[in-house]
Amino acid sequence: MADAKQLLRSFVEVPRDSHFPIQNLPFGVFRRRGQPEDPPRPAVAIGDFALDLAAVSAAGLFDGPVLSGSPCFSQETLNMFLGMGRPAWKEARATLQKILSADEPVLRDNEALRKSCLVPMSDAEMLLPITVGDYTDFFCSVHHARNCGFIFRGPQTPVNPNW
């Protein structure tokens, strides 16, 4: 029996070789190409489109207990959304897969809403999705220190004793 997520189909035409079917909706931030005065907007990719999450949110489609009324998708980065943690991420993905599914009319059958939410990737300029707050030194991980040490010092002493 096939997994239900694999059977999920979107009303958005997704090329067969696309990396962004309904099962893989990567988050990002975009601005409409040629409109530098417009603020950046959170989105997910679906086929050859960016789904504008600010427009989805403004339409009231995030109606679950965590995201309903949240301003996280009206921000210029994904920082607030990411800071909300796993419950928000799961709710967002479930909501997005639902509204993009072939069986759900809320976006599929509303042409005006669909046009405001779905932006062709050719019209989207992708931007840095988060504000980086600080530097992260990956040598705090013994695994990374060992891998880099192996490259620089060889297998005899990949991690210095003073690590």
Side-chain angles (χ1 to χ4, degrees):
M1 182 171 184
D3 184 338
K5 285 197 176 203
Q6 290 178 335
L7 295 176
L8 192 60
R9 290 183 322 106
S10 176
F11 71 87
V12 176
E13 196 68 36
V14 177
R16 188 163 178 75
D17 63 342
S18 174
H19 294 289
F20 310 122
I22 195 169
Q23 293 84 358
N24 180 34
L25 302 172
F27 288 87
V29 171
F30 81 103
R31 175 184 291 132
R32 288 182 186 266
R33 196 173 302 284
Q35 298 180 4
E37 68 284 350
D38 285 358
R41 299 167 75 87
V44 293
I46 175 77
D48 293 331
F49 293 89
L51 180 69
D52 184 337
L53 300 183
V56 170
S57 182
L61 300 180
F62 288 111
D63 58 1
V66 180
L67 295 174
S68 180
S70 172
C72 68
F73 294 125
S74 61
Q75 308 298 307
E76 295 187 1
T77 68
L78 291 170
N79 289 45
M80 180 185 282
F81 172 64
L82 294 175
M84 294 172 75
R86 190 173 199 75
W89 308 340
K90 289 177 74 172
E91 185 177 303
R93 187 157 309 278
T95 299
L96 294 169
Q97 286 181 328
K98 177 184 170 193
I99 68 171
L100 288 167
S101 73
D103 301 328
E104 175 61 43
V106 68
L107 193 56
R108 181 194 69 203
D109 296 351
N110 185 331
E111 184 178 358
L113 182 58
R114 202 172 55 247
K115 284 187 176 191
S116 72
C117 291
L118 285 169
V119 178
M121 283 291 191
S122 59
D123 294 342
E125 173 190 0
M126 299 310 294
L127 305 169
L128 186 65
I130 61 168
T131 299
V132 179
D134 208 347
Y135 170 78
T136 300
D137 184 351
F138 289 101
F139 272 91
C140 64
S141 160
V142 69
H143 303 291
H144 186 78
R146 187 177 297 120
N147 288 338
C148 287
F150 184 84
I151 293 168
F152 294 119
R153 288 182 293 282
Q156 298 79 8
T157 55
V159 177
N160 285 328
N162 66 339
W163 186 88

